[in-house]
Amino acid sequence: MKLLKSLILVLFLLLAAGCTQSKADIKEVSIDEAKQAFENNGEKPNNKTEQFSFYLPENYKVEKADKYNVILAKGAQRYILFVNENEEENSQVSYDTLVKQYENPFISKTFKKNDKLGYLFVHELDSKKYEVTVGIGGTKLTTETELKNIKEDTRNIMIIVSSIQ
């Protein structure tokens, strides 16, 4: 009986390990999600501030907004949306600033479409937390998340950034 229980436990652990995505897989899938969301035409805005309109996915809410920043929330997670109206959609200033600020990022990828520059930049804060920033030109959205949530957060926040008008 002990042998059977041990065998079942070992099989369970092997299956659980097989279902866990590696860092390399998460990195690759997150880049694909950001690129697809960037290349889509963008969602129709369903929220508005004094300066711009944007799409907000279900379960997200606006906590605070001022002229250039919007604090978003999804449950306990916070997101900071920054819009610099003085930068064009093809500007690299925000991306270059991140590259200079952080050595050895987990992900640093740019995307181009027409006259737009999009990017995904992920920096490992510690073994459990990552800072995820996506942007298009002078617009960027940043959050802190766990490794397992990078893919979903990347997709959602690129959809938000892509929708800004």
Side-chain angles (χ1 to χ4, degrees):
M1 189 69 165
K2 282 186 178 184
L3 181 60
L4 181 60
K5 285 182 181 179
S6 296
L7 184 59
I8 290 172
L9 178 62
V10 168
L11 287 173
F12 175 76
L13 291 173
L14 287 173
L15 285 173
C19 294
T20 304
Q21 284 188 303
S22 70
K23 279 186 163 185
D25 291 340
I26 290 171
K27 184 177 185 176
E28 183 180 327
V29 172
S30 297
I31 291 169
D32 289 343
E33 290 287 341
K35 184 177 181 184
Q36 286 177 7
F38 172 74
E39 290 177 347
N40 288 340
N41 292 329
E43 295 287 335
K44 183 179 175 183
N46 59 7
N47 276 274
K48 188 173 183 162
T49 68
E50 289 181 33
Q51 305 301 98
F52 55 90
S53 301
F54 61 100
Y55 172 78
L56 202 56
E58 190 175 319
N59 298 324
Y60 285 75
K61 68 177 186 172
V62 175
E63 281 199 339
K64 182 181 176 187
D66 62 30
K67 188 173 181 177
Y68 300 107
N69 296 293
V70 178
I71 307 296
L72 304 173
K74 180 182 176 192
Q77 190 170 354
R78 300 295 175 265
Y79 304 78
I80 301 171
L81 173 61
F82 172 77
V83 178
N84 183 344
E85 295 176 335
N86 297 318
E87 284 187 55
E88 299 292 325
E89 289 184 320
N90 64 355
S91 172
Q92 279 197 221
V93 173
S94 293
Y95 175 73
D96 289 344
T97 301
L98 287 169
V99 170
K100 289 176 187 173
Q101 184 177 357
Y102 298 105
E103 291 182 27
N104 303 315
F106 179 63
I107 300 173
S108 179
K109 185 71 175 169
T110 60
F111 315 100
K112 291 186 180 182
K113 178 183 175 189
N114 301 328
D115 200 25
K116 290 183 180 183
L117 173 80
Y119 61 88
L120 168 61
F121 195 90
V122 181
H123 173 71
E124 187 172 356
L125 298 171
D126 59 40
S127 62
K128 294 185 179 187
K129 284 285 188 185
Y130 292 77
E131 182 179 83
V132 178
T133 302
V134 301
I136 297 175
T139 299
K140 67 180 182 177
L141 185 52
T142 302
T143 191
E144 287 184 14
T145 194
E146 295 178 11
L147 180 65
K148 66 181 180 177
N149 297 325
I150 291 175
K151 178 186 106 171
E152 180 183 347
D153 283 327
T154 296
R155 177 184 60 245
N156 288 333
I157 63 180
M158 183 58 90
I159 288 169
I160 294 168
V161 170
S162 296
S163 74
I164 293 179
Q165 298 179 357

